[in-house]
Amino acid sequence: MVAIDPGREKCGVAVLDAVSGEVFEQEIVPPSELHAWLEACRMRNETELAVIGHRTAQKEICALAGRLGYRIEIVDEDFSTEEARQRYWLAHPPTGWRRFCPRGLLLPPVPVDDYAAIILAERYLKTKKEKKAEKF
């Protein structure tokens, strides 16, 4: 599956396994390059599912993904940026004097939209598992 944290200036994107949630790829792309990225991803990974955050530029991104043949799932992206910052610091622990600061006070030195895309995919997988459990 692909996950997209849509934005007007940049989009966080990730490719994950639709069952395990294993992350295969993550990056930040400008919206102008998203079409090419989605096409290449579809060819390379043969994925059909696009998980997209529900806020900024969501309608445009959904229309684009739909035209490319993706099945679209909209996910609530509330507080995903805050979670993405935490995830960034887990992957890249602070060094020097920053390691003594509470991580909630630190801002990552790079955009974290790619981590936000991963969080959106994980939210989708969690919801999917919960729905499956309700059936039984």
Side-chain angles (χ1 to χ4, degrees):
M1 92 173 97
V2 297
I4 305 169
D5 178 35
R8 301 222 183 276
E9 296 178 15
K10 60 189 178 311
C11 296
V13 295
V15 179
L16 296 91
D17 182 83
V19 177
S20 69
E22 179 184 356
V23 179
F24 299 124
E25 181 181 338
Q26 70 184 83
E27 63 182 292
I28 297 173
V29 298
S32 61
E33 296 176 17
L34 188 59
H35 183 276
W37 185 87
L38 283 168
E39 269 188 331
C41 187
R42 181 143 172 122
M43 301 279 274
R44 203 173 46 243
N45 298 307
E46 299 178 3
T47 185
E48 296 178 0
L49 174 63
V51 174
I52 301 172
H54 81 295
R55 293 213 184 258
T56 308
Q58 170 249 325
K59 289 181 183 178
E60 296 91 344
I61 303 300
C62 285
L64 170 63
R67 284 193 307 272
L68 292 172
Y70 282 92
R71 182 172 55 88
I72 298 165
E73 292 288 340
I74 305 298
V75 178
D76 182 353
E77 64 176 283
D78 290 344
F79 303 106
S80 61
T81 300
E82 289 80 1
E83 287 182 48
R85 288 178 184 150
Q86 292 174 5
R87 184 74 59 91
Y88 173 85
W89 289 120
L90 288 174
H92 308 281
T95 58
W97 64 268
R98 285 182 174 84
R99 66 184 173 189
F100 299 111
C101 292
R103 292 197 181 149
L105 297 177
L106 294 175
L107 290 177
V110 296
V112 293
D113 303 77
D114 52 340
Y115 287 97
I118 293 169
I119 288 165
L120 296 178
E122 291 171 347
R123 287 179 182 180
Y124 168 76
L125 291 173
K126 181 180 177 188
T127 302
K128 187 175 162 185
K129 286 179 186 176
E130 288 171 355
K131 286 181 181 178
K132 193 179 266 189
E134 286 176 5
K135 288 182 181 178
F136 297 104

